[in-house]
Each structure stands twice: as structure tokens, then as C-alpha cells.
Amino acid sequence: MKSLELKVPPAAVLLACGAGMWLVARAAPAADVTIPARWILAAVLFAVGVGLGLRGVLAFRRHQTTVHPSRPETASAVVTSDVYRYTRNPMYLGLALVLCAWAVALENLVAPLGVPVFMAYLTVFQIRPEERALSARFGAPYDDYRRAVRRWI
């Protein structure tokens, strides 16, 4: 399935998973639950996710490298500072947290399954191809970074 590698923008995968989560929640009303203060919890998860993603984007901008997800071979630097000290993919982790917020808002026990689906898809079709491209472009510095910092968290 190499034909899907780096082809579907992560934001589109987010929207597709979010829509799937909503459809599953509507199809399985027996799995509905009540989450106390769900909107507060959802807002916190959403804010942390957006903040994490924005910090990742800003770190890329400071290092004047591309944030374009389908063109990792055009990267001009390996960014290892700021949030990249803790996760190699803060932008994608931020999107996953936004999906977590959506799962909380849906108040359904089946809806959160969209989060690992999102993460698995990105790992296979986005992150691993990015890692190959960055390793080919930057060699040892990127490989050392990859060994030192986890892919997600």
C-alpha cells in the first residue's frame, strides 16, 4: 500500500477519523456514557493538542524548515529543540489530542477507537515514510535523534 504513503494530508485523516467516530457513536447509542464536565475536559484536551501542534510548527519556522507533510525530503534541518525534545511528532500528537477531545465530547465508549486508528494510519503512511526520507537526507544526526526521542510520546 505504498501508494498511500505521504498522499493523504494528516488534516484529512483527522477529519475522516472524526467523522467515523461520530458515525460510530450514532450507530452505537447503547455505548453512550455521561462524562462529568465533558466540555471542560474536551476543551482542555483540545487546547493542549492545538498548543502542542502550534509549538511544533513554530519550532519548524524558527529553523526555517518545511512543515509540508507530503514533502519531507525538502526539509532543511533536523529540529531537536522545544517540544521536539519530548516527541518527534508534536504536530501529529496534537492532532491525536484533538481527536481525544472529540471522543470526550461524543460521550460514547466506542468513539475513542478512532484515535488509535488515526495514530496507526499516520504511523504507517505518514511518519515512517517521513523517517525514511529524513534519514536519507540527514543521516547520522537524524538517526541519533530518532534513537533518543520517541515517535509519539
Side-chain angles (χ1 to χ4, degrees), residues 13-71:
V13 179
L14 172 84
L15 292 174
C17 287
M21 291 164 65
W22 181 81
L23 289 171
V24 165
R26 299 294 65 87
D32 286 352
V33 295
T34 300
I35 300 173
R38 78 171 163 154
W39 293 114
I40 293 171
L41 178 57
V44 168
L45 286 167
F46 181 84
V48 170
V50 169
L52 185 61
L54 286 176
R55 283 193 67 166
V57 169
L58 291 174
F60 269 33
R61 295 281 187 224
R62 275 193 302 278
H63 286 85
Q64 300 177 340
T65 191
T66 184
V67 296
H68 198 296
S70 65
R71 305 290 311 252

Side-chain angles (χ1 to χ4, degrees), residues 7-151:
K7 297 290 189 256
V8 182
V13 179
L14 172 84
L15 292 174
C17 287
M21 291 164 65
W22 181 81
L23 289 171
V24 165
R26 299 294 65 87
D32 286 352
V33 295
T34 300
I35 300 173
R38 78 171 163 154
W39 293 114
I40 293 171
L41 178 57
V44 168
L45 286 167
F46 181 84
V48 170
V50 169
L52 185 61
L54 286 176
R55 283 193 67 166
V57 169
L58 291 174
F60 269 33
R61 295 281 187 224
R62 275 193 302 278
H63 286 85
Q64 300 177 340
T65 191
T66 184
V67 296
H68 198 296
S70 65
R71 305 290 311 252
E73 70 280 358
T74 64
S76 60
V78 176
V79 180
T80 61
S81 59
D82 202 275
V83 293
Y84 290 92
R85 291 178 292 167
Y86 309 106
T87 173
R88 294 196 316 259
N89 297 288
M91 291 179 248
Y92 301 149
L93 181 57
L95 293 177
L97 288 171
V98 167
L99 274 184
C100 288
W102 179 232
V104 168
L106 290 172
E107 288 188 312
N108 184 281
L109 293 174
V110 184
L113 294 175
V115 178
V117 168
F118 171 80
M119 293 174 76
Y121 182 93
L122 280 192
T123 297
V124 172
F125 297 110
Q126 187 67 41
I127 295 171
R128 287 183 184 157
E130 286 177 358
E131 290 173 344
R132 286 192 304 270
L134 294 172
S135 184
R137 180 151 175 85
F138 298 108
Y142 179 73
D143 294 337
D144 292 344
Y145 170 67
R146 200 168 74 182
R147 280 190 289 278
V149 178
R150 291 176 175 227
R151 180 179 282 150

